[in-house]
Amino acid sequence: MKTFTLEQITQITGGMLTKAKDVSITKIAPPLLADENTLALALGEDEIANLSNTKAQAALVPLGVNIDGFTTIEVERPRLAMMKLITMFYEEPMVNKGIHPTATVAQSAKIGENVSIGPNAVVSENAVIGSNTRILANCYIGNGAVVGTNCFFHPNVNIGDRVQVGNDVILHHGVSLGADGFSFVTENPNNIEQARKDGEIRENDVSQVIFKIPSIGSVVIGNNVEIGANTCIDRGTIENTIVGDNTKIDDLVMIGHNCRIGKGCMIVSQVGIAGSCVIGDRVVIAGQAGLADHISIGDDTIIAAQAGVSKSFPAKSIVVGSPAMPRKEFIKQLKIMKDAGDLISKFKKYEPLLKTFEESVNDSDVAGVVK
Amino acid sequence: MKTFTLEQITQITGGMLTKAKDVSITKIAPPLLADENTLALALGEDEIANLSNTKAQAALVPLGVNIDGFTTIEVERPRLAMMKLITMFYEEPMVNKGIHPTATVAQSAKIGENVSIGPNAVVSENAVIGSNTRILANCYIGNGAVVGTNCFFHPNVNIGDRVQVGNDVILHHGVSLGADGFSFVTENPNNIEQARKDGEIRENDVSQVIFKIPSIGSVVIGNNVEIGANTCIDRGTIENTIVGDNTKIDDLVMIGHNCRIGKGCMIVSQVGIAGSCVIGDRVVIAGQAGLADHISIGDDTIIAAQAGVSKSFPAKSIVVGSPAMPRKEFIKQLKIMKDAGDLISKFKKYEPLLKTFEESVNDSDVAGVVK
Amino acid sequence: MKTFTLEQITQITGGMLTKAKDVSITKIAPPLLADENTLALALGEDEIANLSNTKAQAALVPLGVNIDGFTTIEVERPRLAMMKLITMFYEEPMVNKGIHPTATVAQSAKIGENVSIGPNAVVSENAVIGSNTRILANCYIGNGAVVGTNCFFHPNVNIGDRVQVGNDVILHHGVSLGADGFSFVTENPNNIEQARKDGEIRENDVSQVIFKIPSIGSVVIGNNVEIGANTCIDRGTIENTIVGDNTKIDDLVMIGHNCRIGKGCMIVSQVGIAGSCVIGDRVVIAGQAGLADHISIGDDTIIAAQAGVSKSFPAKSIVVGSPAMPRKEFIKQLKIMKDAGDLISKFKKYEPLLKTFEESVNDSDVAGVVK
């Protein structure tokens, strides 16, 4: 069991210890789940209030929170301190050493030092696995795929042929890298092509064949990338689909063929990015937002949850709504909607007056009279 | 082959048999797919109409549906009767007994009585599997995970370390329980933090590191829960992510870290619930709805399909739209949109008149004149 | 390495070769990634501009694009030509021949000629696999499932019991066919049933049991269907869920129980189709669109991205928005929103004038005066 003094924790978190006390901290937890050797984490208002009912003898709190007679470590940036604390207490998951006897590793595969390959995992012909990488049960690494060093693949990750994964990459349950792009073509224009051109759908050649455009590109994932459970990143048509270093992707995200995602992006759950989009660096895309194909998003842009992005936006945009627009415009639209209700009532009030005037004008000539 | 008389079916469904007939029922099907020994299910208008073309000799129909010369069992609550009927004819899927020779079960794992573990399934160190539970092929049960009694895990379910699953839980293909939460922090405020504070994005420290906040919490699933294919429930940061008893979750749903979902909820396909939400009991969340993080939803609330819920709602709300609002407000907004069209036409009609008046006022003093 | 002359490529693509040159083409790539033996693909404006910086000696371009001194093959329908070219260069993925020693194949299963079954794949009792079908690692084929000829299942596909798959079907990583439908019933009306009837939620029997309606139907997939990674198609209640021939489905799509999807449809990523929908032939459903249950969509209809379809639409509709409406109506609504802003400003300008008039009318009788 890891044990720390309050002084040690204060030093690690860069905080300020008030009302020092001699406690051995063996755990961190919210106030109501704490015992006497827990450091209670009270970062928000609710949890600070819960300190009156905690069994903990000390708490981590935001700077300036003062609780009568209670030992606290005040920190300027609570989430950062929490990260440091959790990292202190975190224990690496147990994985088998070496290649599990039930794993299938091709003779032509190159396996680095200190690699762990779990039960029933498959490493195909000519694949390369970097040193210290851990591949858990039921993962599949395709032919010629290249995985860097110090990666952690949770069970049941699927890596297609020739996909390249950088160093220090974390992939969660069921991630799919390198399924084929969704790309087809017909001999003659199909409904979508017609609708784009004419705005409507004409007689259709009902028997025309849909040809698959094979994906001969691949997927390239940078260093320090994390990808959430059951997320799918499809391979490119003739180029690669690319995810830049330090980008973090949540669960159930879809990234289409040929996309180029920049560095340090945050892509939240259930986001869908259609084919051939170019996303800058440090872009944030909130949950369930969708991007149409062939869109460019500039660096540092934020796209709000459920936004439907149908055109490109420059760097440092804040983009909201479906169809998506700059946040200021969206707020204006909400205001218009709000004002429209009042307006309709007012207009209805004045309408009989206007009607009377109109009739008067038709009868005589009001403008003339009042002049 | 299971065979029932019409009298037996009448009794089981609590219905009323009209024009009794001696038929052996071996199957249930819609009218057009029925043969002579089928009980036709005609619960809706279309299927009732299809009874004129059925080969069936008897049908289950809603109370009050009378068909000349046709044998029917009338029931008050047709879906309930259908459930009872299907359950009668349902045959349990065939699964291997005991531990399949290709399964990998850690010596430290505790396996209950009459447990079935399928081909290539993995049960890790110190995991506990309750009696009568069936774990099908290619499932993964992490270190120290606890699974209750009488569960049914379809192939390829992934249960992370220390996750707890109750009794009578059904998990479908590819479910992920206990992937890490999507939780990161930077040394200094990032774009999102800036935008929340200032409404815009300032100069960015492009080189700042994104630190992962490890998830040391787990996932706890109650009794009688069912979770659909490829749904993901992430583990909590320091607390557990919790799903209450009797809650039913559809395919491709995302439930973020630290969420607490109540009892008896229905969460439909592709719903996304961001981190730290608290959902009451018997809440219904329809397809593709999204909830922002740290939201509370009261008991018995209904959230409509594709709603974008950005704030908390009390018990028994009916919530619609994106951004989501009470249903009454949403209907009012739709009406405003509809009225606005009329209003614009009318205003355009009166605009020249108003212009003329305005000019008159500027010339003389209309108000004075008319007085 | 496959090598072609420009004349061969011209013939295969049906294009027109200008400024013929003797080059051996061994690769296709975008202009900036090309070397001397690459045929540069310059189908869009950006890529055509990039031809000024390419190392390629020849390019495929749309008809009428003329570049001084540069060898081009002009084609009328560039995507079709690209498909033909990629297909020329495409190399089939390497898969093991026969049944891998780690696969588990039931004795009662019928395996066709020249079938490949990968590591740890499971083929259950009485399943049938057609000749030339390739089932890769970690796939699961349920009891009595029937798979046609010449299919390609990528790793980790899950096929439920009794599911039927046609010929020439491609399934990507993690596809789930035949999970149970999301179908439940309670003894007495639940919140949703109350809300549909009364528009609100009344006192709730908090203890009422939620019964699962088992799915005794199955899933039937036609010929030439392709289904993307982690997509889920649930089995029907008493009928089958059906996907017609030549339909293409992208990643992370949800198709609910009892749905009947027509032939030649294109269903883009993250679309959700609730239970019992009937979709015609050649229907296109763009990304993240959602369809409520029991909806009919006519042939050749196009449903836009993120549309929320709550009612049926006839053939050849173009459907947009949430709630979804015909495109023409949607455009009108956008215009109303736009006009409403102007209107509100104008109305505010005229409002004091109207107020003055109104007071005048109350004082004297304007209408009478002006008459």
Side-chain angles (χ1 to χ4, degrees):
Chain A
M1 193 189 285
K2 294 182 182 177
T3 304
F4 302 90
T5 64
L6 288 179
E7 285 73 20
Q8 285 174 311
I9 290 173
T10 303
Q11 200 181 354
I12 289 161
T13 57
M16 191 173 69
L17 178 62
T18 61
K19 306 165 203 107
K21 186 184 279 184
D22 185 25
V23 201
S24 296
I25 298 297
T26 60
K27 218 177 96 176
I28 48 177
L32 300 186
L33 300 177
D35 64 22
E36 296 195 343
N37 290 101
T38 301
L39 180 74
L41 300 196
L43 311 186
E45 282 177 30
D46 290 358
E47 284 150 345
I48 292 166
N50 286 339
L51 285 177
S52 56
N53 288 315
T54 188
K55 289 177 185 155
Q57 302 185 71
L60 186 86
V61 295
L63 202 59
V65 171
N66 212 311
I67 296 151
D68 273 359
F70 200 86
T71 298
T72 55
I73 299 170
E74 295 180 32
V75 290
E76 209 181 323
R77 195 159 163 72
R79 269 173 71 81
L80 188 67
M82 179 175 77
M83 180 275 292
K84 288 173 182 170
L85 269 174
I86 295 180
T87 303
M88 283 162 58
F89 283 99
Y90 181 67
E91 297 193 19
E92 283 280 315
M94 229 180 343
V95 299
N96 61 286
K97 294 201 178 201
I99 298 175
H100 194 274
T102 61
T104 299
V105 178
Q107 285 218 326
S108 58
K110 292 196 188 80
I111 309 295
E113 279 176 28
N114 197 28
V115 162
S116 165
I117 298 181
N120 312 314
V122 176
V123 180
S124 305
E125 301 290 345
N126 301 307
V128 178
I129 311 293
S131 55
N132 300 312
T133 281
R134 286 164 286 176
I135 294 175
L136 272 70
N138 299 333
C139 284
Y140 177 84
I141 314 294
N143 297 302
V146 178
V147 176
T149 60
N150 204 31
C151 292
F152 196 104
F153 293 0
H154 287 268
N156 189 34
V157 159
N158 295 288
I159 308 285
D161 292 353
R162 294 175 293 112
V163 167
Q164 296 168 47
V165 176
N167 303 324
D168 303 291
V169 169
I170 299 172
L171 303 181
H172 289 283
H173 298 144
V175 162
S176 162
L177 301 184
D180 289 345
F182 192 67
S183 193
F184 300 91
V185 66
T186 48
E187 192 79 32
N188 301 306
N190 63 11
N191 291 344
I192 283 280
E193 290 172 273
Q194 279 182 32
R196 281 214 181 115
K197 215 177 131 199
D198 307 345
E200 62 184 67
I201 299 158
R202 285 173 292 113
E203 279 317 300
N204 200 291
D205 174 5
V206 300
S207 63
Q208 82 169 331
V209 178
I210 300 170
F211 296 106
K212 176 183 171 79
I213 301 181
S215 297
I216 57 175
S218 184
V219 173
V220 176
I221 305 292
N223 299 322
N224 274 307
V225 169
E226 180 161 352
I227 303 179
N230 289 340
T231 280
C232 302
I233 305 182
D234 284 358
R235 58 175 70 244
T237 309
I238 54 168
E239 299 179 70
N240 296 324
T241 304
I242 295 171
V243 175
D245 294 346
N246 304 312
T247 283
K248 313 298 181 186
I249 303 175
D250 202 351
D251 300 359
L252 291 169
V253 168
M254 166 68 194
I255 298 182
H257 56 285
N258 306 332
C259 282
R260 297 205 308 269
I261 313 291
K263 297 176 181 176
C265 295
M266 305 287 281
I267 302 179
V268 181
S269 183
Q270 296 178 324
V271 162
I273 306 181
S276 302
C277 286
V278 179
I279 311 291
D281 296 337
R282 297 171 304 282
V283 170
V284 177
I285 311 182
Q288 296 186 330
L291 281 73
D293 56 303
H294 289 90
I295 276 176
S296 290
I297 301 294
D299 293 345
D300 297 302
T301 280
I302 296 174
I303 297 174
Q306 292 191 331
V309 187
S310 54
K311 59 176 188 187
S312 295
F313 284 93
K316 296 196 180 170
S317 304
I318 301 179
V319 170
V320 185
S322 178
M325 60 195 81
R327 196 173 76 115
K328 281 176 189 166
E329 247 175 73
F330 185 77
I331 290 171
K332 220 163 77 185
Q333 276 213 359
L334 285 185
K335 192 162 172 352
I336 288 172
M337 274 302 292
K338 212 177 145 284
D339 289 356
D342 292 346
L343 182 68
I344 288 165
S345 324
K346 279 189 187 164
F347 187 83
K348 282 189 180 150
K349 183 180 135 196
Y350 288 121
E351 206 182 346
L353 188 69
L354 283 163
K355 203 160 197 165
T356 311
F357 272 126
E358 194 189 27
E359 282 161 8
S360 313
V361 174
N362 292 343
D363 286 0
S364 63
D365 182 355
V366 176
V369 168
V370 293
K371 268 180 193 160
Chain B
M1 194 188 285
K2 294 182 183 178
T3 304
F4 301 89
T5 64
L6 288 179
E7 284 72 19
Q8 285 175 312
I9 290 173
T10 303
Q11 200 181 356
I12 289 161
T13 57
M16 190 174 68
L17 178 60
T18 60
K19 303 161 206 113
K21 186 185 277 184
D22 184 23
V23 200
S24 296
I25 297 298
T26 61
K27 217 177 97 177
I28 47 178
L32 300 186
L33 300 177
D35 64 24
E36 296 194 345
N37 292 99
T38 300
L39 180 74
L41 299 197
L43 312 185
E45 283 177 29
D46 290 357
E47 284 151 345
I48 292 167
N50 286 338
L51 285 178
S52 56
N53 288 314
T54 188
K55 288 177 186 155
Q57 301 185 71
L60 186 85
V61 296
L63 202 61
V65 169
N66 211 314
I67 295 150
D68 273 358
F70 200 87
T71 297
T72 55
I73 298 170
E74 294 180 33
V75 289
E76 207 181 323
R77 196 158 162 71
R79 269 173 72 83
L80 188 66
M82 179 174 77
M83 180 275 291
K84 289 173 180 170
L85 268 175
I86 295 179
T87 304
M88 282 162 57
F89 283 100
Y90 181 67
E91 296 193 20
E92 282 281 314
M94 230 179 345
V95 299
N96 61 284
K97 294 199 176 199
I99 299 175
H100 194 273
T102 61
T104 298
V105 178
Q107 285 218 325
S108 58
K110 290 194 190 83
I111 309 295
E113 278 176 28
N114 197 27
V115 162
S116 165
I117 298 182
N120 312 313
V122 176
V123 180
S124 305
E125 301 290 345
N126 302 308
V128 177
I129 311 294
S131 56
N132 299 312
T133 281
R134 287 163 286 176
I135 295 176
L136 272 69
N138 300 331
C139 284
Y140 177 84
I141 314 293
N143 297 303
V146 177
V147 176
T149 60
N150 204 31
C151 292
F152 196 105
F153 293 180
H154 287 268
N156 188 34
V157 159
N158 295 288
I159 307 285
D161 291 353
R162 295 175 293 113
V163 167
Q164 295 167 47
V165 176
N167 302 323
D168 303 292
V169 170
I170 300 172
L171 303 181
H172 289 283
H173 298 143
V175 162
S176 163
L177 301 184
D180 289 345
F182 193 67
S183 193
F184 301 90
V185 67
T186 49
E187 192 77 33
N188 300 307
N190 63 12
N191 291 344
I192 283 278
E193 290 172 275
Q194 280 183 32
R196 280 211 183 118
K197 215 177 129 199
D198 308 344
E200 61 184 67
I201 300 159
R202 286 173 292 113
E203 278 318 299
N204 200 293
D205 173 7
V206 300
S207 63
Q208 82 169 332
V209 177
I210 301 169
F211 297 104
K212 175 182 172 79
I213 301 180
S215 297
I216 58 175
S218 184
V219 173
V220 176
I221 305 292
N223 299 321
N224 273 307
V225 169
E226 179 161 352
I227 304 180
N230 289 340
T231 279
C232 302
I233 303 181
D234 284 359
R235 58 176 68 247
T237 309
I238 54 169
E239 299 178 71
N240 296 323
T241 304
I242 295 171
V243 175
D245 293 347
N246 303 312
T247 283
K248 313 298 182 184
I249 303 175
D250 202 351
D251 301 358
L252 291 169
V253 167
M254 166 68 193
I255 297 181
H257 56 284
N258 306 334
C259 283
R260 297 205 309 269
I261 313 291
K263 297 175 180 177
C265 295
M266 305 287 280
I267 303 179
V268 181
S269 183
Q270 296 179 326
V271 161
I273 305 181
S276 303
C277 286
V278 179
I279 311 292
D281 295 337
R282 298 171 305 281
V283 170
V284 177
I285 311 182
Q288 297 186 331
L291 281 73
D293 55 303
H294 288 91
I295 277 177
S296 288
I297 302 294
D299 293 345
D300 296 302
T301 280
I302 296 174
I303 298 175
Q306 292 192 332
V309 186
S310 54
K311 60 176 186 188
S312 296
F313 284 92
K316 298 197 178 169
S317 304
I318 302 180
V319 171
V320 186
S322 180
M325 61 194 79
R327 197 174 76 116
K328 280 176 189 166
E329 249 175 72
F330 185 77
I331 291 171
K332 218 164 79 184
Q333 276 214 358
L334 286 185
K335 191 162 171 354
I336 289 172
M337 275 302 292
K338 212 176 144 288
D339 289 357
D342 291 348
L343 182 69
I344 289 165
S345 324
K346 279 189 187 163
F347 187 84
K348 282 191 179 148
K349 184 180 136 197
Y350 288 123
E351 205 182 346
L353 187 70
L354 283 162
K355 204 161 197 162
T356 310
F357 271 125
E358 193 190 28
E359 283 161 9
S360 313
V361 173
N362 292 344
D363 285 0
S364 64
D365 181 355
V366 178
V369 168
V370 293
K371 268 179 193 164
Chain C
M1 193 188 285
K2 294 181 183 179
T3 304
F4 301 89
T5 64
L6 288 180
E7 285 74 18
Q8 285 175 311
I9 290 172
T10 304
Q11 201 181 354
I12 290 161
T13 57
M16 191 174 68
L17 178 61
T18 61
K19 304 165 205 109
K21 187 183 278 186
D22 185 22
V23 201
S24 296
I25 297 299
T26 61
K27 217 177 96 177
I28 48 177
L32 300 186
L33 300 177
D35 65 22
E36 295 194 344
N37 291 99
T38 300
L39 180 74
L41 299 196
L43 311 186
E45 282 177 29
D46 290 357
E47 285 151 344
I48 293 167
N50 285 340
L51 285 177
S52 55
N53 288 314
T54 189
K55 288 178 187 155
Q57 302 185 71
L60 186 85
V61 294
L63 202 60
V65 170
N66 211 312
I67 294 150
D68 274 358
F70 200 86
T71 297
T72 55
I73 299 170
E74 295 180 32
V75 290
E76 208 181 323
R77 194 157 163 71
R79 269 174 71 82
L80 188 67
M82 180 174 77
M83 181 276 293
K84 289 174 180 169
L85 269 174
I86 294 179
T87 304
M88 282 162 57
F89 283 100
Y90 181 69
E91 299 194 16
E92 283 280 315
M94 229 178 345
V95 298
N96 61 284
K97 294 196 180 207
I99 298 174
H100 194 274
T102 62
T104 298
V105 178
Q107 286 218 325
S108 59
K110 292 195 189 81
I111 309 296
E113 279 176 29
N114 198 28
V115 162
S116 166
I117 297 181
N120 313 314
V122 175
V123 180
S124 305
E125 300 292 344
N126 301 308
V128 178
I129 312 293
S131 56
N132 299 311
T133 281
R134 287 164 287 177
I135 295 174
L136 272 70
N138 300 334
C139 285
Y140 177 83
I141 313 293
N143 295 303
V146 178
V147 176
T149 60
N150 205 31
C151 291
F152 195 105
F153 293 180
H154 287 267
N156 189 34
V157 159
N158 296 287
I159 307 286
D161 291 354
R162 295 175 292 111
V163 167
Q164 297 169 46
V165 176
N167 303 323
D168 302 292
V169 169
I170 300 172
L171 303 181
H172 289 283
H173 299 144
V175 163
S176 163
L177 302 184
D180 288 346
F182 192 68
S183 194
F184 301 90
V185 67
T186 48
E187 192 79 31
N188 300 306
N190 63 12
N191 292 343
I192 283 279
E193 291 171 274
Q194 280 182 32
R196 280 211 182 119
K197 214 177 130 199
D198 308 344
E200 62 184 67
I201 300 159
R202 286 173 291 114
E203 277 319 299
N204 200 291
D205 173 6
V206 300
S207 63
Q208 82 169 331
V209 178
I210 301 169
F211 297 105
K212 175 182 172 81
I213 301 180
S215 297
I216 57 175
S218 183
V219 173
V220 177
I221 306 291
N223 299 321
N224 274 306
V225 169
E226 181 160 352
I227 302 179
N230 290 341
T231 280
C232 302
I233 304 181
D234 284 359
R235 58 176 68 245
T237 308
I238 53 168
E239 300 178 70
N240 296 323
T241 304
I242 296 171
V243 174
D245 294 346
N246 303 311
T247 282
K248 313 296 182 185
I249 302 174
D250 202 350
D251 301 358
L252 291 169
V253 168
M254 166 67 194
I255 297 181
H257 56 286
N258 306 334
C259 283
R260 297 206 309 269
I261 314 291
K263 297 175 181 179
C265 294
M266 306 287 280
I267 302 179
V268 180
S269 184
Q270 296 177 327
V271 161
I273 306 181
S276 302
C277 287
V278 179
I279 312 291
D281 296 336
R282 296 171 305 282
V283 170
V284 177
I285 310 181
Q288 297 185 333
L291 282 73
D293 56 302
H294 288 91
I295 277 176
S296 290
I297 301 294
D299 294 344
D300 297 301
T301 279
I302 295 174
I303 297 174
Q306 292 191 334
V309 186
S310 54
K311 58 177 188 187
S312 296
F313 284 92
K316 297 198 178 167
S317 303
I318 302 180
V319 170
V320 185
S322 178
M325 59 195 81
R327 196 172 78 116
K328 280 175 189 168
E329 248 176 72
F330 185 76
I331 291 172
K332 219 164 79 184
Q333 276 214 0
L334 285 185
K335 192 161 173 349
I336 288 172
M337 275 302 292
K338 211 175 148 283
D339 289 357
D342 291 348
L343 181 68
I344 288 165
S345 323
K346 279 188 188 164
F347 187 84
K348 281 189 179 149
K349 184 179 135 196
Y350 288 122
E351 204 182 346
L353 187 69
L354 283 162
K355 204 160 195 163
T356 310
F357 272 127
E358 195 190 26
E359 284 161 7
S360 313
V361 174
N362 292 343
D363 287 0
S364 62
D365 181 355
V366 178
V369 168
V370 294
K371 266 179 194 162

